[in-house]
Amino acid sequence: MNRKIIWILIILFFFILSLAVLFSMFYSFFRPEKVEVSSNTYLEIKLDGRLEDYTAGPQLADFFQGKIISLFDTWLNLKKASRDPRIKAVVLRFGLLDADWAKMNELREAILEFRKSGKPAIAYFEEAPDADKEYYLASACDKIIIHPLGWLGINGLAAEIPFFKGTLDKLGIKAEFEHIEKYKTAYNQFTETGFTPEHKEMMESIYQDFFETYLETISSARKLTLSEIRELIDRGSFQAGEAL
């Protein structure tokens, strides 16, 4: 057997081996797990990844893009858990959630609805940097627990708006849109190099509303005054003992 054939066989062997490994990984990723539920069970829900209204089940793209959480499925599981006598409590294990405030509020309402069953909901963090949305959601729970070596970062809200007109000018491109009145700012990213007074006023108004709702909600949930919550958020970062 000449050297060329030996190399072809070696390459073919590793190619088949790679396919087998990939197939095993995809199979374990997509295979549904059979779950046996006994009495006095704590239901753990992992909240880490992008929160969408619905998911179509495991997708090949999910393997590369990371975890996608279904808001509907999470709501449904909480509803089932509230009625299932085998479920004693729910533990929400937090990572970093990619979600807008509307979805966070819907999920928060679902947690509060679950608690009406008389079963506790417990939030758990390993650590929580820049976690205002996650903390807002966790404040719906009976208890918030953080790892003793973890830390909590809550520092208020901010918005970032990129503007592309400068780049388009350099490329010789002029963006043209039908613009109705000063507060219709959807296309300002392409027609302005920065905030117009009206655009800035609108964004500040929207985020001020978000922030006031955030403050009032966690103030009520944690039994602290608004001024105390503001003072804590101004501090921003807390080791686990300080967060307690």
Side-chain angles (χ1 to χ4, degrees):
M1 185 180 294
N2 61 41
R3 183 173 294 179
K4 184 177 180 180
I5 294 176
I6 292 174
W7 276 110
I8 291 173
L9 290 174
I10 292 173
I11 292 170
L12 185 62
F13 170 77
F14 281 104
F15 177 73
I16 293 172
L17 183 63
S18 298
L19 285 178
V21 170
L22 284 173
F23 177 79
S24 175
M25 291 170 63
F26 286 133
Y27 178 74
S28 62
F29 181 73
F30 290 116
R31 181 183 60 188
E33 296 182 11
K34 185 178 180 181
V35 178
E36 297 291 340
V37 180
S38 57
S39 59
N40 292 323
T41 292
Y42 282 68
L43 173 64
E44 179 183 274
I45 298 177
K46 293 182 179 179
L47 298 175
D48 185 14
R50 194 167 80 249
L51 185 63
E52 299 287 355
D53 288 325
Y54 298 93
T55 58
Q59 303 288 318
L60 182 60
D62 297 349
F63 185 80
F64 302 99
Q65 295 176 0
K67 181 70 174 177
I68 299 177
I69 307 164
S70 165
L71 176 62
F72 174 78
D73 289 346
T74 306
W75 168 82
L76 189 60
N77 287 333
L78 286 168
K79 195 173 187 65
K80 289 178 180 178
S82 69
R83 299 174 178 177
D84 192 331
R86 298 170 298 178
I87 302 298
K88 185 177 181 180
V90 163
V91 177
L92 301 172
R93 183 180 287 269
F94 280 85
L96 288 177
L97 274 171
D98 179 9
D100 57 48
W101 283 95
K103 290 187 179 68
M104 285 294 201
N105 190 61
E106 283 191 65
L107 191 49
R108 194 178 189 282
E109 290 297 323
I111 296 169
L112 293 173
E113 188 65 28
F114 166 81
R115 288 179 57 189
K116 291 180 181 178
S117 66
K119 301 176 183 181
I122 302 165
Y124 176 77
F125 294 91
E126 290 285 342
E127 61 179 16
D130 196 15
D132 288 275
K133 286 182 180 177
E134 289 82 357
Y135 187 75
Y136 171 79
L137 182 54
S139 69
C141 297
D142 295 271
K143 290 183 179 180
I144 302 176
I145 299 171
I146 193 167
H147 190 281
L149 298 180
W151 64 284
L152 173 68
I154 51 169
N155 51 19
L157 312 184
E160 294 182 1
I161 307 294
F163 291 93
F164 305 109
K165 185 178 184 302
T167 301
L168 295 178
D169 288 344
K170 291 178 181 178
L171 296 172
I173 299 171
K174 182 180 180 181
E176 294 184 352
F177 298 98
E178 185 175 353
H179 196 117
I180 303 173
E181 299 302 335
K182 297 177 180 180
Y183 289 92
K184 298 294 185 180
T185 60
Y187 302 118
N188 281 22
Q189 290 177 282
F190 305 101
T191 60
E192 305 290 341
T193 57
F195 283 108
T196 63
E198 292 80 13
H199 192 178
K200 184 177 181 180
E201 179 190 351
M202 182 186 71
M203 292 302 299
E204 287 180 344
S205 175
I206 290 171
Y207 272 80
Q208 186 63 37
D209 284 347
F210 283 158
F211 188 54
E212 293 297 335
T213 300
Y214 170 53
L215 289 176
E216 290 169 4
T217 301
I218 61 176
S219 169
S220 174
R222 297 292 95 189
K223 304 297 188 291
L224 296 169
T225 66
L226 285 173
S227 59
E228 288 173 323
I229 291 294
R230 284 181 181 274
E231 182 180 343
L232 291 169
I233 288 175
D234 286 343
R235 284 179 55 189
S237 177
F238 305 88
Q239 295 297 321
E242 297 172 320
L244 177 64

